[in-house]
Amino acid sequence: MTCRKIDVQSTLKIADLFTSDVLSQLSFILDFLTSGWVFLVFLILFGLLPLVAFPQVSLPSLSSRIVGAFVRTITTIAIGSILWAKLGLFTWLTAVLVYLTGLGIGWLGSHQWRSGATLQQLGQQIAIATVDIFDRGLSWGQLFYWLLLPWQSIYQLCQKRFNLSNQGQGVHRTVNSPQQQHWSLPLIFLTTITMIGILGLTVWYRFKHPLTEFRFSHPDLYGQLLIAQQILARDLPPVNYLPIFPSLAAFLTALSGVHPVQVIHMLGGILGTLLVLSVGYTIRSLTQNTPAALAATYSLGAYLFTWHLPTPMWLPPSIQQWLSLIKENLNDGLIKSWAPSNLEVGAIFVLLMLGCSTHLVKLKQRKAALINTTCCGLLVLTIAPSLFILVLFGGFGLIFGRQIALFTLTTAWIILGSLAAIPDGRFSLFAGILTTLPIGLSLFVGMLFIAIASVGKLLLADWSAPVCLTVLLAVTLNFCLPAAPQINYVEYDAAARKTVEISNLFPHRTWTVVAPIEQLSQVYGRGWYQDLGDFVTKYQNLVGNPNFQFPSQTSLLIFAEKLPFISDRPEFPVPYSVLLDPTYRNYRSPSGRAKLAQATLKLCQTYHQHHPDSSIYYEDRYLRIYHFPAL
């Protein structure tokens, strides 16, 4: 009998492990498919359709047209955020109307406002098709034909753009000298390998954690999520700024139908990738040096700026504090590469503004370049005004030449960021520049690469750039890749996952989540929220009465931690005012969270024993979620 009992227990454990493993793999597949759908929607809304609406045929390269179409579309969303944030008019319809209005104005402007005949013909076709549908019905073949029409137009446009680019490159090659053709072969081969490596490392570092973790890796994202939820619920309180990042998340949520938690996860990785590409585009525009652009892009894509060496103790205390602050910002920058704030988003447009402004010198390109540059400048002022001083430095340098602009921008970024780390707070105005210091360092890598490759030409001639790029890759891949970051999670992954699951499965406004503060932003506008600490304090002495019932008109889902969540980061001394804060005392302090978790479990177990209609919604080794029906 004992052997059979042991066999049954071991079999059940194996079955539980197998079930949990299958469920985890299934959830990963679903998360991957959902993330892929969000990425596809972003690509269509901010890449393909804007390229059709803003053709910018005067610009010489496809990359410049893509950048111009992107910044104009983001500007459209920024204008729409005035309606959403200031007037509370966000709906699926208003989001679509704002987007289509911006693209429509761009399309009419690209056709010199002479599209009356085209619009009239399009209207006639729509009217005829509508009458035909009511007369004969809608066939599947006709439906698929209409659905494929936009994709065919986008494909034809992209094919036309690539053909034009290839023709221009062919003309350029006929002008090049035989010596330039000689060294272009190894450089093209190395460029292809390098671009694959850059793309692989960039995607790995930007999307690894958003795809494997459902919870946020940076506390600031919970605030961004809350604002996005308030925009979706048309309940955003008055703010003195335009929340561009939450507006983008709300816009993608409305058009993709995905929960904003997953949208913000994916949007952070996309913007982090765009920041890396912006560095390469700007350096390529300023220097016309492809290897230097690859080197700078690689340095930020692989994030070569983590610093784990101890601070020398023989230095003066003020210097030690200065170095520690720079070190902390550089290490946290790796997390910010997939969890960006407004500063990182604003830095994208600082770079793109300088890159777009290089086309202002040519008369044929001036109109399109002026619009793109103006849009970038407005976005910088809107999203991160503290970074606009970098635009001034870069613009001043551009007066004396493109490479001087790169030098002034890089120097200003590094110097101002270093000044912001001085302990006395005298230069706190430049704190945003310190946060984005890795971007300035990546520009410095590109500038340094140009200098080293130029000196290397004395010995290696035209092979200097390929050799320098190969050495950079070989050395950094062995010694400079970042270690696993120390992420400051504030909740269990299951807590975030189950909160979103509850939001999707339960009817809206019929349930209340009683949980730590992180769940507020995840359920806002879909259900109700009650703070766990206040709830336990209010009812822990009342649940002992078998006749007591929670006075709630909605069902309660209470998050009880069986093992209190403790952050992996070490705890540092905090001011007395922080110690008095209930959020810190209940959820950030290890001892306070452990005390609250024990009291929550006791309260829920007692109430569960006295009320047989209650149940356990979810349980694992760390977390248990009780479900108590409404009165």
Side-chain angles (χ1 to χ4, degrees):
M1 295 292 293
T2 306
C3 294
R4 287 183 178 179
K5 186 179 294 185
I6 294 174
D7 291 341
V8 170
Q9 291 178 352
S10 61
T11 303
L12 291 175
K13 288 182 180 180
I14 294 174
D16 290 340
L17 291 174
F18 176 76
T19 303
S20 62
D21 184 57
V22 170
L23 291 176
S24 63
Q25 291 182 0
L26 181 60
S27 63
F28 174 77
I29 293 174
L30 293 176
D31 292 343
F32 183 80
L33 293 176
T34 303
S35 300
W37 168 244
V38 174
F39 176 79
L40 180 62
V41 172
F42 184 90
L43 181 64
I44 294 173
L45 296 178
F46 294 93
L48 298 180
L49 292 181
L51 198 58
V52 176
F54 307 106
Q56 308 165 83
V57 293
S58 61
L59 296 181
S61 64
L62 180 62
S63 61
S64 297
R65 298 187 190 112
I66 293 174
V67 168
F70 173 73
V71 299
R72 295 184 191 193
T73 308
I74 296 295
T75 304
T76 300
I77 302 300
I79 294 173
S81 66
I82 299 175
L83 301 175
W84 305 332
K86 302 297 183 181
L87 303 178
L89 298 178
F90 185 89
T91 62
W92 183 90
L93 180 60
T94 57
V96 172
L97 287 177
V98 167
Y99 177 78
L100 293 180
T101 300
L103 265 60
I105 293 174
W107 185 77
L108 291 173
S110 64
H111 289 79
Q112 304 298 323
W113 306 95
R114 299 173 183 173
S115 303
T118 304
L119 293 175
Q120 184 178 3
Q121 182 181 4
L122 180 62
Q124 291 175 355
Q125 292 177 355
I126 294 174
I128 293 172
T130 304
V131 173
D132 190 48
I133 289 173
F134 283 108
D135 185 29
R136 302 181 184 179
L138 181 62
S139 64
W140 284 106
Q142 193 175 21
L143 178 61
F144 283 122
Y145 173 76
W146 287 342
L147 291 176
L148 291 175
L149 278 178
W151 297 99
Q152 292 175 356
S153 302
I154 292 169
Y155 173 76
Q156 292 173 1
L157 177 69
C158 294
Q159 189 178 31
K160 181 180 178 182
R161 294 287 181 265
F162 278 116
N163 288 337
L164 288 175
S165 299
N166 291 335
Q167 291 174 7
Q169 291 174 2
V171 173
H172 186 67
R173 289 193 189 98
T174 58
V175 179
N176 283 346
S177 63
Q179 185 180 9
Q180 288 175 316
Q181 292 179 353
H182 172 71
W183 71 267
S184 64
L185 291 177
L187 184 57
I188 289 175
F189 178 73
L190 183 61
T191 298
T192 304
I193 296 177
T194 306
M195 290 182 68
I196 294 174
I198 291 172
L199 183 62
L201 288 171
T202 301
V203 170
W204 174 257
Y205 285 119
R206 273 74 188 169
F207 293 98
K208 175 187 174 183
H209 289 277
L211 288 176
T212 56
E213 292 284 347
F214 206 86
R215 54 187 172 176
F216 288 142
S217 55
H218 199 280
D220 290 348
L221 288 180
Y222 289 94
Q224 301 285 354
L225 173 62
L226 180 59
I227 296 174
Q229 294 273 45
Q230 290 173 332
I231 292 174
L232 289 167
R234 300 188 294 279
D235 193 26
L236 182 67
V239 292
N240 56 0
Y241 65 96
L242 293 181
I244 304 300
F245 183 82
S247 293
L248 286 174
F251 179 74
L252 286 175
T253 298
L255 272 69
S256 66
V258 178
H259 195 282
V261 170
Q262 295 165 288
V263 169
I264 288 181
H265 265 306
M266 199 62 187
L267 185 59
I270 291 172
L271 292 176
T273 303
L274 292 179
L275 180 57
V276 174
L277 298 178
S278 299
V279 169
Y281 171 77
T282 300
I283 291 185
R284 180 68 178 81
S285 300
L286 292 175
T287 65
Q288 300 299 310
N289 191 318
T290 301
L294 291 174
T297 305
Y298 164 72
S299 67
L300 187 60
Y303 203 83
L304 308 179
F305 310 118
T306 52
W307 183 5
H308 299 287
L309 296 176
T311 303
M313 301 303 297
W314 50 267
L315 292 173
S318 58
I319 301 297
Q320 292 184 34
Q321 188 176 357
W322 178 73
L323 289 175
S324 298
L325 185 56
I326 291 180
K327 174 183 174 181
E328 181 182 352
N329 275 275
L330 291 178
N331 293 337
D332 287 346
L334 177 58
I335 302 174
K336 286 295 192 73
S337 63
W338 68 79
S341 63
N342 287 342
L343 292 170
E344 285 77 17
V345 178
I348 294 177
F349 299 103
V350 171
L351 296 169
L352 294 182
M353 183 177 182
L354 202 59
C356 293
S357 64
T358 57
H359 299 295
L360 292 172
V361 295
K362 295 185 179 180
L363 184 61
K364 292 183 178 180
Q365 306 169 11
R366 187 167 297 167
K367 180 180 178 181
L370 181 61
I371 295 175
N372 297 338
T373 305
T374 303
C375 288
C376 289
L378 291 175
L379 289 171
V380 174
L381 288 173
T382 301
I383 300 174
S386 62
L387 300 182
F388 196 78
I389 188 173
L390 298 174
V391 173
L392 299 179
F393 275 97
F396 176 76
L398 197 60
I399 299 175
F400 303 97
R402 296 183 178 185
Q403 294 194 4
I404 299 299
L406 177 61
F407 175 79
T408 55
L409 176 65
T410 304
T411 305
W413 215 315
I414 294 176
I415 292 178
L416 295 179
S418 301
L419 289 176
I422 295 178
D424 61 5
R426 189 182 308 171
F427 299 97
S428 58
L429 180 65
F430 305 135
I433 301 177
L434 174 61
T435 303
T436 58
L437 186 59
I439 304 169
L441 294 177
S442 66
L443 297 176
F444 177 75
V445 169
M447 192 171 63
L448 185 63
F449 183 91
I450 295 174
I452 295 175
S454 299
V455 174
K457 280 188 176 182
L458 300 175
L459 296 175
L460 302 173
D462 294 328
W463 288 85
S464 176
V467 170
C468 290
L469 196 56
T470 303
V471 172
L472 174 66
L473 294 174
V475 172
T476 54
L477 286 174
N478 281 280
F479 302 106
C480 298
L481 288 182
Q486 192 175 23
I487 300 176
N488 187 24
Y489 290 118
V490 293
E491 62 176 336
Y492 286 120
D493 189 73
R497 191 176 297 277
K498 290 302 171 180
T499 303
V500 173
E501 180 184 289
I502 291 168
S503 301
N504 292 329
L505 293 181
F506 285 67
H508 286 191
R509 309 271 183 183
T510 62
W511 46 273
T512 299
V513 162
V514 183
I517 192 65
E518 292 78 37
Q519 273 62 54
L520 169 62
S521 59
Q522 296 165 0
V523 305
Y524 192 94
R526 300 167 183 261
W528 303 104
Y529 169 82
Q530 190 167 351
D531 183 78
L532 180 62
D534 294 342
F535 184 87
V536 171
T537 302
K538 186 176 183 180
Y539 296 116
Q540 63 181 348
N541 296 325
L542 302 177
V543 294
N545 183 359
N547 297 321
F548 172 78
Q549 288 186 334
F550 293 125
S552 175
Q553 301 300 319
T554 63
S555 60
L556 298 177
L557 292 135
I558 303 179
F559 286 55
E561 293 178 349
K562 299 163 63 177
L563 183 65
F565 179 84
I566 304 298
S567 175
D568 293 334
R569 286 201 170 188
E571 188 177 11
F572 297 100
V574 295
Y576 182 72
S577 58
V578 176
L579 291 174
L580 296 177
D581 181 61
T583 300
Y584 177 84
R585 185 175 65 249
N586 291 329
Y587 308 123
R588 301 295 177 259
S589 170
S591 58
R593 185 145 188 162
K595 182 180 179 180
L596 177 61
Q598 183 179 7
T600 304
L601 275 175
K602 182 179 179 181
L603 179 148
C604 293
Q605 288 171 351
T606 304
Y607 192 87
H608 182 49
Q609 291 174 358
H610 296 326
H611 297 82
D613 58 338
S614 62
S615 61
I616 296 177
Y617 175 78
Y618 171 81
E619 184 173 11
D620 60 19
R621 58 181 298 189
Y622 303 110
L623 179 68
R624 183 185 297 160
I625 302 177
Y626 286 91
H627 182 207
F628 299 138
L631 290 175

